[in-house]
Amino acid sequence: MSLTMTAHTESPPDEARLARQAIGNAEAFAELYRRHVTRVYRYHMAHTGNTKDAEDLTSQTFMAALEGIRSYRGEAPFAAWLMGIASRKRALFFRGMRPEVQIEAADQIPSPGLLPDQEAGQRLQLESVSRALKQISPERAEAIILTTFGGLKYAEAARLLRKSEAAVKMLVLRGLQDLRERTSLSLEVER
Amino acid sequence: MKPIENMLPENDALYEALQTLAGDITPEPQFKYKLEDDLKSAHKPRASFQISRRDVFQFAGLTVALALLAFVLSWAIRSLVPPRIPAGPGTATPTLVMPSPTPVGQAAPYVVQRGDTCAKIAADFNISMDDLIAANGLASNCANLQIGMELVIPIQGGIVAPQVEGYDYNSLTLYLKADLPSLPLEANVYTAQPDQHATVESARALALRFGIDGQVYSAPGELPGTTDYMVTAGGPRLYVRSDNYFSYYRDYGRNFIGGGVLTDEQAAAAIADFMGSHGFDFAYSIEPAPQVYGEYYIVPLLDGQALRYDYNLPAGLDITLDNDAQVMSVNGSLPNTQAIGTYGIRSAEEAFQKIIGNAEAGIQESMRSGGMLNVQIWQREYPDGAEVTIYGQVRFFPSAEVGGMPLVTLDDRVVTGNITGLEAAQEGADIEASGHFSMRDGIRIFEVDAWQYSPAEFMSITGTLHQEGSETYLLDTSTNEYPNAANAVKYLIADLPADAPFDTYPPAQLLTVDGMVKDDKIDWTMIQYFPDGMAGGGGGGGGSGLYQLNLSGTPMPLPTPVPTIPSTGGGGGGSGYMYTIVAGDTCQSIATTFNVPVEDLIGADGLPVDCAALQVDQTLTIQLAPPTLPQTVAGLRGILMVNLYYQADGSQRTEYALISADPDYPYALLEGEGLDALYDYRNRPVEVWGALTANAYGIYTVQVERFEIPFPGLDFQILKGSEQTAEVDGQMTLLFTTEDGQTFLELNSDCVIPTVPESALTTDQSAILVETLAIPDLTWGGYPTVCVHSKAPAFDASGQPVELLMSAGEVYEMNDPATYVPPTMTIEKVELVYYVNDPRFTPIDPNGPPVYIQPMWRFYGHYSNGDEFEILVQALQDVYLSPEIQPIEPPG
């Protein structure tokens, strides 16, 4: 029996426990880190379009999560809590540092995260996605990024965006429409 | 065509393509490994983190979540969610705080200050040192006296000081030393409206209000994906998102900390003058900002009540005055408000009852380190005309005006001259430029003779300055907060300010140096020194969340509280869970939930409840047998943890603990003679025999009579192989296959919980190294297991083999929390405020649900250690609240 019986329905059952352990145990935090680093990195890649900034923001996100792990109360899935930090870090980054992201400059930076044979094509795709997402409403873009790159469920993204689950689906659908109609984004669709 | 509401993004080909693309992006293993390492290094307890009893209580009844509680003891801070622990029935009435057991009377507690010694305190209060030591259980040499500790001062002659009334609030004692206002009885609810994003014209107009008659440039937007404007004529800068959200800097890039020389009257006069002369005509109150001298919040008043955000921050203008009361900076956050109606509110008294009654939701608590932040700042200055080299990140601000030239800055200084080619540099690139400063049209600019991409790297280093022979060094102490940083990385540093402090003692005294690092030399640009260290800053909120508003006119019943644990003492001594019946409950369903027989459900009359007459909102007491624990354990096996505590007097204490797979006591401290023989078996299995006890905090201890090392020769190994996910016993796990084809299931370092696929280092089955322990008879789902301590990719980015160093042998080091005394809380001010979540980073969607600004009762005060707290209670009556809980913003 747990004190709060409603709390952890969407978290993997051991993440609340891990988060508690992580307050004092580096290994437990490292385990949470390993589970979630990919989604955080993808999220930042989608926003920044380049490896260097995505790595930088991923580091910042986890350092902040480490600082704040005491305040994680288990009422939201850990992933949603973490992506909230990622989202704030990203907001501060774009606020304090750079104007519209340097897509062209990002061309200079290799993306070793991708496999060599896929690299060129996917880097171009990612850059065009990142650029296109900046041309639609930030909230719709964020909903798309959180649910695709961030790997959040609609319910989790909903908590983060302070919306209902249905509203998040709407944001995603409208965002996809915007991407089609208002940007030159085209991706190869593999069935 | 299907209505859009019924469509699923999953059916959208573009969505699918995005997901496919996302799935192909993975961080480089070397980066993952490095960051994991950095996080582990950064994961150190700090001296200022202390636990309150309520953090411990959170675990007291939780037999499932006790693992590693001792770490928590040294770590948790008050900002953890307060568990809801009513003191039993009747908490609504004040309970007396029990006097400490002293042989004589006592006065109000005394909080130990910097510079105090036992002798000094005893002398100040004219008592004997022995009495002081005895009354407080201090060590005989007073070595465990700590700043912030609360001491009982025994009074000679047995005169008992009057006892102060206190309340039990989450196991801390809460004093109310403020009047509870009886008015108002109703308040307005507002919505925050989207603001009109700035235009070139509106930005220019706002700049003129600040006396800036300059060029308008594009600047990075405060909100993601937006562009703001920056207006400057040189020194002063104004960043404009809208007329409501802006930042003004009189001398951008120069940090200023006032010396606290202004009186409140001088500050108020300067602020009134500023408001009048800059066209701000809203009603306001002034609140000094915490920690920083010269910083003030100008808080807008709605119906005479302050408009505030979360994290104990107000809305309005955040203004910094220098010692001459000149405005140095202004940060504006002025939400557009629109009144939507007037509603009944609860009284301050009712709100206070919610606090001490440990209400489930509708309350939000936050804390912030108290006291003023003592800081000295030195910035590198260069004389006009002298040939110098400056370093910094380059920034470009495109002109927002027709035919305008972009603004280029280096380290926030406007540069001109020979900057040909610089426009091709990446925004934020590190540049070094030689040239000289000069004044032109009243603006200080840097005239560039030549520039290049800097071979140096910008770093911000925490450390200490140290003279060795004729050379001066900056020792990096960031990875070693203990004094003997013999192995610290060091950098040559020169041209220091004459009054820069040397040989400071981190973390009690904190020094940070920013600058460009090349070849173990740092060319500094800014030095900050915190002689009293840096306290933790803001704290997260407590509370289970706020109710969303329900202004529909149709009341929705709020949920009844989830079961809470009775406190172990004080206040009436409940002996079971309180549970309030909700619609749909039956005796059987409740009994099943709590895993007790139906007969153990007790009604208000103290008799077993009449199951045929259950009523919604009826309160039951559920008699819970205390968990039946064996008196002794025999051969309890677990993984041994060893923690090393540094004590205030510089000595060390070693703590042993066992993590077992037993769900009833997954974490138990080990006590007894001869445990030091276990030291060499840390992170390895041991078996213990002895008496098992649980203390009031729910921490288990084994008095070890004897122990055995089941596998004395067991050692950590570095294995090379690859990992892949597999479903084992219905659970997704990771399987590790060694180079010679042996397959193991990966467990966490506690050897209990299987690792999950998300924690895989690689997904392409490339070669990795793992630091593991393989316990011979430990299987999971039929697989042999390895307990994983660390992982690394087998090859680095350039294809060179990586050497994974053993880390399992390291001991966790931390400062000793043993002498901690929980602080008390005193409410000093009770007021009605208007509240909204800080809208600065969350754009308000014109088409989204309304963002409400609602009345809240704010209880503000201090912990006895000087930290501030505020407890906000939703003031709207329950009929205007919805059972839905608002999402909580994470820190960032």
Side-chain angles (χ1 to χ4, degrees):
Chain A
M1 180 174 9
S2 141
L3 186 63
T4 48
M5 286 179 290
T6 54
H8 316 304
T9 46
E10 286 158 3
S11 269
D14 63 337
E15 291 212 337
R17 171 182 162 139
L18 266 177
R20 286 286 166 222
Q21 295 183 354
I23 293 171
N25 184 337
E27 291 293 343
F29 190 85
E31 170 64 16
L32 286 169
Y33 161 77
R34 289 191 292 259
R35 291 184 184 191
H36 295 289
V37 61
T38 302
R39 74 165 77 225
V40 171
Y41 178 79
R42 284 174 183 168
Y43 171 87
H44 288 313
M45 276 298 268
H47 272 293
T48 65
N50 78 78
T51 311
K52 182 169 171 288
D53 288 337
E55 289 186 349
D56 196 28
L57 282 167
T58 303
S59 300
Q60 287 185 32
T61 302
F62 279 99
M63 285 295 173
L66 180 61
E67 283 281 311
I69 188 71
R70 284 162 239 91
S71 68
Y72 173 62
R73 285 158 288 189
E75 71 290 281
F78 185 80
W81 180 83
L82 184 66
M83 296 310 288
I85 297 176
S87 157
R88 286 206 162 186
K89 285 291 166 203
R90 182 258 315 152
L92 288 171
F93 174 83
F94 284 110
R95 173 196 183 204
M97 303 293 284
R98 284 145 216 238
E100 299 302 321
V101 95
Q102 303 295 300
I103 300 290
E104 286 70 27
D107 285 342
Q108 316 303 324
I109 301 165
S111 303
L114 301 172
L115 299 176
D117 53 336
Q118 303 170 304
E119 190 178 315
Q122 283 180 350
R123 201 179 75 215
L124 286 174
Q125 287 202 343
L126 183 64
E127 282 159 9
S128 62
V129 165
S130 180
R131 193 184 297 122
L133 285 167
K134 292 206 165 32
Q135 297 166 31
I136 66 172
S137 127
E139 197 170 33
R140 291 174 188 178
E142 184 70 356
I144 291 175
I145 293 174
L146 283 172
T147 54
T148 55
F149 292 85
L152 292 189
K153 299 180 185 122
Y154 296 115
E156 293 170 338
R159 280 194 91 105
L160 201 78
L161 296 169
R162 302 161 180 256
K163 306 267 176 213
S164 71
E165 203 174 321
V168 170
K169 280 183 195 160
M170 285 293 292
L171 284 174
V172 171
L173 285 168
R174 297 224 159 109
L176 292 171
Q177 262 180 5
D178 291 348
L179 283 179
R180 269 195 209 88
E181 292 165 7
R182 291 168 38 190
T183 76
S184 53
L185 178 65
S186 67
L187 290 179
E188 284 174 37
V189 182
E190 294 168 31
R191 287 273 170 187
Chain B
M1 187 178 159
K2 274 194 290 187
I4 192 167
E5 286 76 12
N6 296 335
M7 290 165 59
L8 272 179
E10 278 76 1
N11 300 332
D12 188 300
L14 181 56
Y15 190 80
E16 197 184 328
L18 287 171
Q19 281 196 311
T20 307
L21 177 62
D24 288 336
I25 301 169
T26 51
E28 203 188 346
Q30 283 77 17
F31 164 74
K32 278 170 77 174
Y33 168 56
K34 168 78 167 51
L35 179 54
E36 178 172 336
D37 216 42
D38 289 349
L39 287 165
K40 283 181 180 171
S41 302
H43 194 284
K44 289 209 172 194
R46 298 183 181 182
S48 61
F49 289 160
Q50 296 167 323
I51 182 120
S52 69
R53 278 179 64 218
R54 65 173 124 149
D55 299 329
V56 179
F57 267 106
Q58 171 144 30
F59 295 85
L62 278 174
T63 50
V64 292
L66 271 172
L68 303 172
L69 184 52
F71 284 116
V72 177
L73 271 174
S74 68
W75 259 80
I77 58 168
R78 289 169 301 277
S79 59
L80 271 176
V81 60
R84 297 300 162 189
I85 306 163
T91 36
T93 52
T95 54
L96 288 182
V97 175
M98 298 306 289
S100 298
T102 54
V104 289
Q106 62 175 73
Y110 172 75
V111 180
V112 178
Q113 309 293 319
R114 178 170 297 279
D116 275 346
T117 62
C118 278
K120 178 174 177 297
I121 297 167
D124 286 350
F125 287 91
N126 194 24
I127 55 174
S128 80
M129 214 168 117
D130 286 349
D131 284 353
L132 182 72
I133 288 169
N136 291 285
L138 292 167
S140 59
N141 61 356
C142 259
N144 53 353
L145 192 72
Q146 289 186 346
I147 294 168
M149 202 182 215
E150 209 172 71
L151 294 183
V152 170
I153 306 297
I155 293 170
Q156 302 289 0
I159 305 158
V160 178
Q163 288 173 343
V164 187
E165 235 181 10
Y167 301 86
D168 180 35
Y169 172 63
N170 295 318
S171 307
L172 292 183
T173 303
L174 176 69
Y175 299 98
L176 177 63
K177 290 189 183 163
D179 292 332
L180 295 172
S182 51
L183 290 172
L185 302 175
E186 51 182 31
N188 287 330
V189 173
Y190 294 83
T191 52
Q193 298 293 315
D195 54 323
Q196 192 67 45
H197 210 91
T199 61
V200 174
E201 291 71 31
S202 74
R204 191 181 287 128
L206 186 62
L208 283 173
R209 281 162 67 185
F210 282 89
I212 303 174
D213 185 7
Q215 295 279 311
V216 184
Y217 301 92
S218 299
E222 192 175 37
L223 294 176
T226 63
T227 302
D228 294 344
Y229 294 103
M230 192 267 278
V231 192
T232 186
R237 278 193 204 180
L238 182 73
Y239 287 85
V240 190
R241 168 174 139 194
S242 72
D243 281 355
N244 300 58
Y245 296 90
F246 55 85
S247 301
Y248 163 79
Y249 303 92
R250 180 176 160 155
D251 188 5
Y252 188 82
R254 304 304 97 185
N255 287 284
F256 175 81
I257 300 283
V261 300
L262 294 183
T263 64
D264 288 352
E265 291 73 26
Q266 287 170 323
I271 287 168
D273 184 47
F274 166 81
M275 296 290 281
S277 60
H278 289 72
F280 294 107
D281 57 359
F282 59 86
Y284 64 90
S285 62
I286 300 175
E287 189 178 314
Q291 300 205 319
V292 180
Y293 290 111
E295 188 180 349
Y296 300 86
Y297 297 131
I298 302 170
V299 189
L301 301 178
L302 279 180
D303 314 324
Q305 323 290 355
L307 176 58
R308 300 189 65 90
Y309 296 151
D310 39 357
Y311 293 100
N312 201 4
L313 288 172
L317 304 177
D318 177 351
I319 186 167
T320 311
L321 302 177
D322 72 3
N323 290 344
D324 300 322
Q326 295 291 311
V327 173
M328 300 303 291
S329 70
V330 181
N331 217 305
S333 178
L334 300 164
N336 281 329
T337 62
Q338 185 174 51
I340 55 170
T342 305
Y343 300 88
I345 61 170
R346 67 189 87 238
S347 69
E349 169 68 29
E350 286 165 341
F352 184 64
Q353 294 300 335
K354 269 191 171 285
I355 294 173
I356 57 175
N358 298 285
E360 263 310 306
I363 291 187
Q364 181 164 292
E365 180 190 337
S366 52
M367 61 80 61
R368 176 162 71 191
S369 297
M372 298 308 274
L373 192 61
N374 202 355
V375 58
Q376 285 175 274
I377 296 181
W378 294 265
Q379 282 184 303
R380 196 72 175 266
E381 292 300 343
Y382 303 94
D384 282 354
E387 276 299 313
V388 291
T389 302
I390 65 170
Y391 303 85
Q393 295 183 314
V394 65
R395 308 242 169 267
F396 304 98
F397 296 91
S399 175
E401 309 200 38
V402 177
M405 297 291 287
L407 184 75
V408 184
T409 68
L410 191 56
D411 191 25
D412 295 327
R413 306 162 203 264
V414 176
V415 296
T416 178
N418 179 23
I419 53 173
T420 314
L422 195 56
E423 68 277 0
Q426 190 188 350
E427 175 84 6
D430 289 328
I431 300 291
E432 67 179 56
S434 57
H436 63 273
F437 283 96
S438 65
M439 294 296 286
R440 185 187 292 177
D441 301 334
I443 302 163
R444 193 153 189 261
I445 54 164
F446 187 72
E447 191 87 34
V448 176
D449 295 332
W451 67 271
Q452 62 165 334
Y453 288 101
S454 179
E457 185 188 358
F458 179 83
M459 292 178 78
S460 184
I461 295 165
T462 299
T464 187
L465 297 170
H466 185 66
Q467 186 87 31
E468 277 178 31
S470 60
E471 303 287 10
T472 308
Y473 290 97
L474 170 66
L475 308 183
D476 182 346
T477 56
S478 59
T479 55
N480 186 348
E481 69 180 42
Y482 298 103
N484 53 344
N487 304 325
V489 177
K490 58 184 185 181
Y491 303 91
L492 264 175
I493 188 167
D495 300 327
L496 286 169
D499 53 348
F502 276 66
D503 297 316
T504 51
Y505 187 93
Q509 303 167 321
L510 209 59
L511 181 107
T512 65
V513 178
D514 292 354
M516 303 297 290
V517 174
K518 185 172 61 173
D519 302 335
D520 296 333
K521 279 187 201 159
I522 181 163
D523 196 338
W524 70 276
T525 53
M526 181 165 72
I527 299 172
Q528 297 179 79
Y529 177 51
F530 303 87
D532 304 325
M534 199 153 33
S544 328
L546 298 176
Y547 293 117
Q548 293 188 2
L549 302 196
N550 164 34
L551 305 178
S552 64
T554 311
M556 301 162 81
L558 297 187
T560 51
V562 296
T564 50
I565 306 173
S567 100
T568 51
S575 57
Y577 284 90
M578 300 293 295
Y579 181 75
T580 307
I581 304 287
V582 294
D585 276 346
T586 65
C587 276
Q588 192 55 53
S589 71
I590 300 165
T592 305
T593 304
F594 286 87
N595 194 23
V596 295
V598 170
E599 304 83 69
D600 284 2
L601 306 179
I602 307 295
D605 53 5
L607 298 172
V609 74
D610 180 359
C611 288
L614 282 189
Q615 291 180 349
V616 168
D617 289 342
Q618 181 185 355
T619 305
L620 300 183
T621 305
I622 299 162
Q623 293 294 339
L624 288 176
T628 47
L629 285 178
Q631 302 285 307
T632 59
V633 294
L636 175 67
R637 185 188 288 184
I639 298 295
L640 180 76
M641 301 226 59
V642 180
N643 305 316
L644 191 58
Y645 290 100
Y646 288 80
Q647 292 179 306
D649 62 0
S651 65
Q652 296 171 4
R653 177 173 71 86
T654 311
E655 179 184 82
Y656 296 90
L658 195 72
I659 298 178
S660 77
D662 191 308
D664 284 336
Y665 31 96
Y667 184 84
L669 295 174
L670 303 182
E671 287 179 2
E673 297 293 313
L675 291 181
D676 288 345
L678 287 173
Y679 188 86
D680 289 341
Y681 297 97
R682 53 193 180 273
N683 294 323
R684 295 177 179 84
V686 297
E687 291 171 358
V688 296
W689 282 257
L692 180 72
T693 56
N695 69 7
Y697 299 144
I699 297 170
Y700 297 96
T701 302
V702 178
Q703 288 294 332
V704 179
E705 285 155 22
R706 70 184 182 91
F707 56 80
E708 281 184 9
I709 313 293
F711 310 104
L714 203 57
D715 253 320
F716 283 88
Q717 312 169 60
I718 306 280
L719 298 176
K720 192 172 172 188
S722 63
E723 54 189 358
Q724 65 185 93
T725 57
E727 189 175 331
V728 178
D729 279 3
Q731 188 171 340
M732 289 310 289
T733 62
L734 277 181
L735 295 180
F736 178 81
T737 304
T738 61
E739 283 181 310
D740 51 9
Q742 281 181 284
T743 296
F744 298 91
L745 186 135
E746 293 185 12
L747 298 177
N748 285 349
S749 61
D750 62 7
C751 298
V752 177
I753 306 173
T755 51
V756 295
E758 290 82 354
S759 66
L761 184 66
T762 58
T763 51
D764 56 0
Q765 295 196 41
S766 57
I768 61 167
L769 300 172
V770 287
E771 179 188 12
T772 63
L773 190 70
I775 302 176
D777 58 358
L778 185 64
T779 62
W780 205 98
Y783 284 92
T785 59
V786 282
C787 318
V788 176
H789 268 259
S790 57
K791 295 180 187 178
F795 300 99
D796 66 16
S798 56
Q800 295 301 308
V802 166
E803 187 189 2
L804 178 61
L805 297 174
M806 292 276 193
S807 65
E810 290 167 12
V811 181
Y812 286 112
E813 298 173 345
M814 60 194 82
N815 290 319
D816 201 331
T819 52
Y820 179 66
V821 179
T824 60
M825 301 168 75
T826 303
I827 294 170
E828 293 144 20
K829 187 174 174 186
V830 182
E831 58 178 345
L832 190 74
V833 300
Y834 279 101
Y835 172 90
V836 65
N837 271 68
D838 191 338
R840 256 171 293 190
F841 302 114
T842 317
I844 297 169
D845 181 356
N847 306 314
V851 177
Y852 288 115
I853 300 173
Q854 60 176 308
M856 294 265 225
W857 286 107
R858 176 173 186 254
F859 298 80
Y860 167 84
H862 286 84
Y863 285 90
S864 51
N865 63 9
D867 292 347
E868 290 177 30
F869 68 85
E870 77 167 7
I871 305 171
L872 296 171
V873 181
Q874 283 183 291
L876 286 177
Q877 290 169 357
D878 284 352
V879 292
Y880 304 119
L881 301 178
S882 143
E884 292 269 310
I885 302 290
Q886 281 183 10
I888 295 167
E889 281 286 295

